[in-house]
Amino acid sequence: MNIKLAEYGQRRERLMKKIGTGTAIFRSAPTVIMHNDVEYVFRQDSDFFYLTGFNEPEAVAVLAPHHEEHHFVLFVQPKDSEKETWTGYRCGVDKAKEFYGADKVYPINELHEKLPQYIEKANRIYYHLGRDKNFNKVILSYWQRLMAAYPKRGAGPVAIEDPNPILHSMRQVKSITELEMLRKAIGISVIAHNRAREFVQVGHYEYEVQAEIEHAFLSHGGIGPAYPSIVASGANACILHYIENCRQIQENELLLIDAGCSYGYYNGDITRTFPVSGKFTGEQKAIYELVLEAQLRSIKSVQPGKSYNEFHDIAVCVLVQGLIDLGLLKGDLEEIIKEEKYKPFYMHKTGHWLGLDVHDVGVYKQGEGTWKLLEPGHLLTVEPGIYISPNIKPLKGQPEIPERWRGIGIRIEDNVFVTKTGHEVLTTGVPKMIDEISL
Ligand code: GLY
Ligand code: MN
Ligand code: MN
């Protein structure tokens, strides 16, 4: 399964309509050194990939809707059989035109010579000043040169504008094919979670569970983990991004697994927490019930037209009331929420956009103080949790936390797609109800 060439073309057309007489320039991701002359596996820049589907480094994509002949131009690494022997297949100039639908393709070493013709007549340059500092300098120096010539020409780009607000609002709403890709990534993530839960026993090391998960990712055609897999037993679950995964799982412990598969660069992001032996302690069960209730109530509020933050506010409200009822917080519900006195137990937001990036692009607010409204096509995670670290420090005036509660960390995370009439939870394949995960 893959995004079709035509869809990349439609995306470019939509962007070009919005930039009118501007020229947009996108840079591929760099290769990243792991150590000495060994590189990490290449991961394309998501914006670049969204617009081109081209998966090589050392490339530049130009969209010039006002140009007479070439609206979509690619600069790519040329074929080089000697280099390809070492670092793998390159598409090359000729095939890039055929495979990726560019109007014109140049070898990347001609960038300096060929790029100016696509910029000089534009009224602005759309370019995100990003992580490639050298390329930033190149773009700025073109612009300065054109600005110096402006009085004589009376034409040329008068501004550099960040394309991200336009592009990321496009990426925020998933197409039908993107949803299929996401279902695939999430489907593999579901298989991996179920495999891990069926495998794990007291005495296993966390990394053995990680191996089961990542085996499932790869053996079902995924690229690998969408982010470093978190397999956190006991108190390790109180560390939000625990990725060492090196501890042996003990009796009576919960295991928190936060793992998702990347498939064609689209990502799943699922968390489940369960008692490894099948039995909750009373305290574990009380906290689990609370997080589950917060999550279920929170998911219900994911509806088109609702403010982005509503599901977070609901989760906080349920969690805080529950912590008060359990005697772990004390005081007035509203005051605790307003003064964020719950933060030692719950320090993150209840979700994020999900897509080509795990923490996907797109705004959460539309102007100061106004949350984005949910729309059909949005995909987000809903992931409340409670973390009672062994070292938890109650805030002033709050109760000391008895030992029996300490070391409990629970998060439950689903991926929720906003539909025209409500929502669809894409991760229902991994059980989370108490009777499904305990004896
Ligand atoms: N796994 C990262 C997150 O849940 O946001
Ligand atoms: Mn996660
Ligand atoms: Mn997440």
Side-chain angles (χ1 to χ4, degrees):
M1 192 194 304
N2 247 320
I3 303 282
K4 300 266 183 318
L5 186 60
E7 182 161 338
Y8 292 109
Q10 287 156 9
R11 295 172 183 174
R12 290 190 298 269
E13 286 300 326
R14 281 181 63 201
L15 183 62
M16 283 196 279
K17 270 211 185 96
K18 298 210 166 132
I19 65 173
T21 48
T23 292
I25 302 166
F26 298 92
R27 177 83 164 130
S28 63
T31 49
V32 182
I33 297 291
M34 183 189 264
H35 47 71
N36 198 3
D37 57 352
V38 175
E39 291 167 358
Y40 282 103
V41 174
F42 176 69
R43 205 299 187 175
Q44 188 56 283
D45 175 85
S46 296
D47 288 332
F48 189 92
F49 191 74
Y50 180 81
L51 290 169
T52 65
F54 190 69
N55 198 22
E56 292 184 26
E58 292 303 318
V60 171
V62 180
L63 301 182
H66 52 82
H67 192 269
E68 293 84 14
E69 285 180 281
H70 307 144
H71 293 176
F72 172 36
V73 180
L74 267 179
F75 292 85
V76 304
Q77 298 178 108
K79 294 291 284 178
D80 181 330
S81 55
E82 197 192 330
K83 290 214 172 101
E84 286 177 58
T85 306
W86 287 90
T87 51
Y89 173 79
R90 291 179 180 183
C91 179
V93 171
D94 298 336
K95 289 272 186 292
K97 195 165 176 188
E98 182 187 334
F99 290 174
Y100 296 94
D103 300 316
K104 183 74 187 169
V105 184
Y106 300 103
I108 187 74
N109 57 9
E110 291 182 14
L111 184 78
H112 294 269
E113 184 194 331
K114 299 293 189 332
L115 184 59
Q117 64 180 298
Y118 297 107
I119 303 178
E120 60 199 9
K121 290 192 184 146
N123 69 345
R124 59 187 56 212
I125 299 170
Y126 286 86
Y127 173 71
H128 178 71
L129 288 162
R131 59 185 163 181
D132 188 337
K133 293 205 169 63
N134 288 333
F135 197 62
N136 293 345
K137 278 190 208 147
V138 169
I139 299 296
L140 286 169
S141 76
Y142 286 146
W143 184 47
Q144 278 172 326
R145 241 184 291 154
L146 288 166
M147 281 307 291
Y150 190 88
K152 286 199 186 119
R153 297 178 60 227
V158 291
I160 294 191
E161 184 170 328
D162 193 335
N164 285 359
I166 301 173
L167 182 59
H168 292 177
S169 69
M170 287 168 56
R171 281 181 54 191
Q172 203 167 28
V173 179
K174 275 62 185 176
S175 72
I176 291 168
T177 344
E178 285 188 293
L179 180 59
E180 279 172 24
M181 296 292 286
L182 286 156
R183 280 188 198 278
K184 183 77 184 166
I186 291 165
I188 300 172
S189 311
V190 166
I191 292 171
H193 272 262
N194 288 335
R195 179 185 166 111
R197 194 185 59 263
E198 279 155 25
F199 162 82
V200 67
Q201 287 176 8
V202 171
H204 277 139
Y205 282 84
E206 294 162 341
Y207 54 73
E208 293 180 83
V209 183
Q210 177 186 357
E212 293 297 310
I213 292 166
E214 295 181 9
H215 179 281
F217 291 168
L218 293 177
S219 63
H220 287 84
I223 300 171
Y227 50 90
S229 304
I230 297 168
V231 181
S233 60
N236 285 343
C238 301
I239 302 165
L240 300 182
H241 290 164
Y242 171 79
I243 54 170
E244 284 79 5
N245 302 347
C246 58
R247 178 175 174 274
Q248 194 176 26
I249 301 165
Q250 310 294 315
E251 292 279 358
N252 302 322
E253 283 186 346
L254 298 179
L255 185 68
L256 182 154
I257 300 178
D258 183 348
C261 177
S262 186
Y263 178 85
Y265 287 156
Y266 286 87
N267 301 300
D269 182 6
I270 306 177
T271 308
R272 289 291 184 265
T273 312
F274 55 90
V276 176
S277 63
K279 279 198 214 110
F280 282 106
T281 65
E283 288 77 14
Q284 289 168 349
K285 192 166 180 196
I287 300 294
Y288 191 89
E289 279 171 342
L290 185 50
V291 176
L292 182 61
E293 191 198 342
Q295 208 234 9
L296 294 172
R297 296 256 307 266
S298 183
I299 287 175
K300 267 199 190 143
S301 75
V302 175
Q303 306 276 346
K306 295 259 189 196
S307 134
Y308 174 82
N309 209 41
E310 192 167 322
F311 75 99
H312 172 68
D313 287 343
I314 289 173
V316 169
C317 194
V318 175
L319 294 175
V320 172
Q321 185 60 58
L323 290 168
I324 294 171
D325 295 345
L326 292 170
L328 298 171
L329 281 174
K330 76 171 187 212
D332 173 63
L333 174 74
E334 274 170 32
E335 190 190 310
I336 292 176
I337 292 175
K338 189 156 159 259
E339 292 179 10
E340 301 190 331
K341 288 184 182 161
Y342 61 85
K343 283 240 165 140
F345 299 92
Y346 186 45
M347 57 299 280
H348 60 77
K349 293 288 276 186
T350 304
H352 51 82
W353 305 123
L354 179 65
L356 272 175
D357 292 320
V358 175
H359 294 171
D360 206 22
V361 295
V363 293
Y364 291 93
K365 283 195 172 171
Q366 42 197 15
E368 217 33 67
T370 320
W371 291 98
K372 174 103 184 146
L373 300 183
L374 296 179
E375 290 170 34
H378 284 165
L379 177 64
L380 48 103
T381 67
V382 179
E383 48 178 310
I386 289 185
Y387 312 93
I388 313 178
S389 158
N391 313 314
I392 191 164
K393 305 237 168 358
L395 297 177
K396 208 162 148 256
Q398 289 296 319
E400 276 297 324
I401 306 302
E403 196 54 39
R404 65 180 197 280
W405 294 98
R406 290 174 186 246
I408 298 176
I410 293 171
R411 177 165 66 254
I412 309 173
E413 175 175 30
D414 281 305
N415 302 164
V416 184
F417 185 67
V418 184
T419 64
K420 282 199 185 115
T421 52
H423 64 254
E424 180 186 347
V425 181
L426 303 180
T427 38
T428 49
V430 199
K432 64 181 176 187
M433 304 312 285
I434 300 233
D435 61 349
E436 297 171 313
I437 60 166
S438 62
L439 297 172

